[in-house]
Amino acid sequence: MIRRASGALGRLAPRTLRARLIAGLLALLLLTCAGVGLATAQALRHFLVDRLDQQLADTGGRYAASLEHSEGPEAYGDARGDTRAQAPGTFGARLLNGTVTAARVVDGDADDPEVAEGTVAADTDDMVSLTAADRRALAALPVDGQSRSVKLSGLAGYRLRATAGRDGDVLVTGLPLHPVEDAVHRLVMIELVVFAVALAATGFAGALWVRVSLRPLDRVVGAAERVSGLPLASGEAVVPVRVPDDDLGTEVGRVGAALNRMLGHVEDALARRQSVEERLRTFAADASHELRNPVAAVRGHAELALRHPGPVPAGVRHSLGRIEAEAQRMGAIVEDLLLLARLDAGRPLAAEEVDLTRVALDCAADASAAGPDHRWQLELPEEPVLVTGDADRLRQVVANLLANARVHTPEGTRVTLALSAGSGGGGLVLLTVTDSGPGIEPALAERIFERFVRGDLARARTTGSTGLGLAIVRAVITAHHGTVELTARPGRTSFTVRLPAR
């Protein structure tokens, strides 16, 4: 229950800095208004009660003294004359040996202005019906002439003052507290209205003021959001955004200056990275181009030597065979590196109509011939799926994905090549290669599309993998304005390619 309550409070609490500042301002103002209201209400109550006590002291116990010898109802007529000059609601009681012998209250027209102002006295009094608790409360009053607040069940709150009578009795005189309570209540209501208006006006003015004060921070946030939208992952990275507010005399200015320095460092680092990448790409392209002829020459000489009509020692023939095989492998690496260099340089690919269904059929047939021990499955739509692109490069993508599934899964693994048109929305063509093999380790899956990353962690060459196949897949698909992603778990590995439909 405590967690739920804290969660609900967390959801209701303001989250933005602007909302928190306004809420804090209103909370402080509310506490201030509450303190002022309580202080003024208590001060007014204390002042009015003091005036009531002074009025009791000024009037003395005359009304209570009129009851001193009134022992029965017939004597009350003598007491009525003493109601003159007494405020309406004045209470009088006589106690003898702790027992209330008489108790009356002055009655008058409280709605009469003259009576209320005291120019005309109240002219009647009434007997009061006291409960046992009221009698005990009256008997418990100290006879010291000090006023005390007592609540009588039939008369509500009173300020009572007990004095000693002439005949060894106790005379109690009191004035009602309801005028004091009414005045304090009116003050509280007025304060509530005034404070509510003040809170509303302060909230509106504070919102405007906070909004104006936080404009420099909004500009910092806007600059950060624009930077976050810049394509900084690859290519020429330029960060032209800067924060205009860099006054070191303000907190926001210091944040802006720090952000500008950080953006400058980021731009320098990106420029250096871009320079290194450009040099590496140039080196890879130049090296690949220069190695094509020597590798072809080595391969040609090896083939020529193997075709020599004369007798060739077995050891020499084996060495020549290995030279030819490694020359073929080196030639494949050179061609792959040259292709990646061209794609990195942004060289355009062919843009023609490609029947992706035919490409899938041909690549599946080649993969089935290369891996007869695997179970190959095709899922193709009835109508041909057409895209715009380079047919040879797209064929290379499908072939690389199928070869990856064949090489890195054991015999008997089911490999499914599925193709669908319009899947995923937005006029996309979806091509997936899914296998039921052991899967890919998470650490390797994060780097699977990088260059020279192999599925065999020992980097064995027994499979003939160069570690460039999936890097070529991503580069070719990116050049076709598509995406490729990997979903892997034990027992299922799926590569998903999305291409714009024709």
Side-chain angles (χ1 to χ4, degrees):
M1 297 298 293
I2 295 177
R3 291 181 178 179
R4 291 182 180 178
S6 61
L9 292 176
R11 288 191 295 270
L12 292 177
R15 303 182 63 182
T16 63
L17 179 60
R18 181 181 291 108
R20 289 180 180 180
L21 289 175
I22 297 174
L25 175 64
L26 293 180
L28 291 176
L29 182 59
L30 180 61
L31 291 176
T32 302
C33 291
V36 171
L38 290 175
T40 54
Q42 291 298 325
L44 177 62
R45 179 182 176 82
H46 184 72
F47 173 74
L48 293 179
V49 169
D50 286 346
R51 288 191 60 186
L52 204 62
D53 294 344
Q54 184 63 39
Q55 187 177 352
L56 276 175
D58 292 341
T59 58
R62 290 193 299 271
Y63 181 60
S66 68
L67 306 177
E68 194 169 14
H69 299 288
S70 301
E71 301 297 337
E74 66 279 359
Y76 286 136
D78 297 333
R80 294 181 190 275
D82 293 317
T83 61
R84 295 186 299 272
Q86 299 295 330
T90 302
F91 174 81
R94 177 177 179 268
L95 290 86
L96 183 62
N97 298 325
T99 302
V100 179
T101 60
R104 300 184 68 84
V105 63
V106 176
D107 190 13
D109 188 1
D111 296 331
D112 188 349
E114 294 181 347
V115 173
E117 294 173 2
T119 58
V120 177
D123 55 0
T124 61
D125 58 359
D126 293 330
M127 291 188 298
V128 179
S129 176
L130 299 176
T131 63
D134 295 339
R135 294 175 184 274
R136 287 194 297 271
L138 292 175
L141 286 172
V143 186
D144 55 2
Q146 298 296 324
S147 300
R148 291 173 174 82
S149 297
V150 178
K151 186 175 182 180
L152 301 176
S153 58
L155 300 174
Y158 262 79
R159 288 290 286 184
L160 299 180
R161 179 171 176 267
T163 57
R166 291 173 298 178
D167 299 332
D169 53 0
V170 176
L171 303 178
V172 178
T173 307
L175 290 174
L177 283 171
H178 70 82
V180 175
E181 302 296 341
D182 291 344
V184 173
H185 180 70
R186 285 194 296 271
L187 175 63
V188 170
M189 295 303 297
I190 293 173
E191 287 178 339
L192 287 176
V193 173
V194 173
F195 291 159
V197 174
L199 283 172
T202 303
F204 179 75
L208 293 179
W209 177 254
V210 170
R211 183 175 182 180
V212 172
S213 300
L214 292 182
R215 280 181 180 175
L217 186 59
D218 291 336
R219 287 191 286 268
V220 173
V221 173
E225 290 178 347
R226 290 193 298 273
V227 171
S228 65
L230 295 176
L232 304 179
S234 61
E236 184 179 359
V238 180
V239 187
V241 181
R242 291 295 185 271
V243 180
D245 301 278
D246 54 359
D247 183 8
L248 297 179
T250 64
E251 293 83 355
V252 177
R254 290 197 294 271
V255 173
L259 182 59
N260 287 338
R261 288 195 299 271
M262 183 188 69
L263 293 177
H265 296 328
V266 169
E267 191 171 23
D268 292 341
L270 292 175
R272 293 180 183 179
R273 184 206 66 183
Q274 176 65 16
S275 177
V276 171
E277 289 183 354
E278 289 294 338
R279 288 198 298 269
L280 287 176
R281 289 170 183 168
T282 302
F283 170 77
D286 294 343
S288 300
H289 183 75
E290 294 298 329
L291 286 174
R292 293 178 74 182
N293 293 333
V295 169
V298 170
R299 181 179 176 184
H301 286 293
E303 292 178 353
L304 181 60
L306 288 173
R307 294 177 183 177
H308 188 273
V312 178
V316 175
R317 182 174 294 275
H318 175 73
S319 298
L320 291 175
R322 293 301 304 149
I323 292 174
E324 182 184 13
E326 290 301 318
Q328 291 179 353
R329 182 173 175 275
M330 187 179 296
I333 294 176
V334 169
E335 293 295 333
D336 290 344
L337 286 174
L338 189 57
L339 173 61
L340 288 173
R342 290 172 177 173
L343 292 175
D344 290 340
R347 294 186 182 181
L349 299 176
E352 58 186 7
E353 183 180 87
V354 180
D355 186 352
L356 209 55
T357 306
R358 172 55 58 185
V359 172
L361 287 171
D362 294 342
C363 292
D366 296 340
S368 178
D373 295 327
H374 284 67
R375 292 181 294 166
W376 302 95
Q377 183 176 348
L378 270 175
E379 295 179 1
L380 302 178
E382 296 180 358
E383 298 295 331
V385 178
L386 303 179
V387 296
T388 300
D390 191 317
D392 294 335
R393 297 309 169 203
L394 292 176
R395 187 182 304 273
Q396 187 176 7
V397 165
V398 179
N400 283 357
L401 292 176
L402 293 176
N404 182 77
R406 174 178 56 83
V407 170
H408 298 289
T409 58
E411 296 179 357
T413 301
R414 185 178 66 253
V415 181
T416 303
L417 173 59
L419 182 63
S420 60
S423 300
L428 294 178
V429 170
L430 197 67
L431 184 145
T432 60
V433 175
T434 306
D435 66 72
S436 58
I440 301 177
E441 295 182 2
L444 181 61
E446 296 178 357
R447 305 170 45 245
I448 197 66
F449 292 105
E450 296 179 7
R451 300 174 186 184
F452 297 107
V453 174
R454 294 182 176 87
D456 49 340
L457 299 181
R459 301 183 65 84
R461 266 57 172 187
T462 57
T463 60
S465 173
T466 64
L468 296 174
L470 294 180
I472 291 176
V473 167
R474 184 173 65 174
V476 171
I477 295 302
T478 302
H480 283 81
H481 308 290
T483 61
V484 57
E485 62 183 17
L486 167 66
T487 303
R489 66 172 185 266
R492 187 179 188 277
T493 302
S494 179
F495 288 90
T496 303
V497 174
R498 291 180 175 85
L499 291 170
R502 179 174 174 81

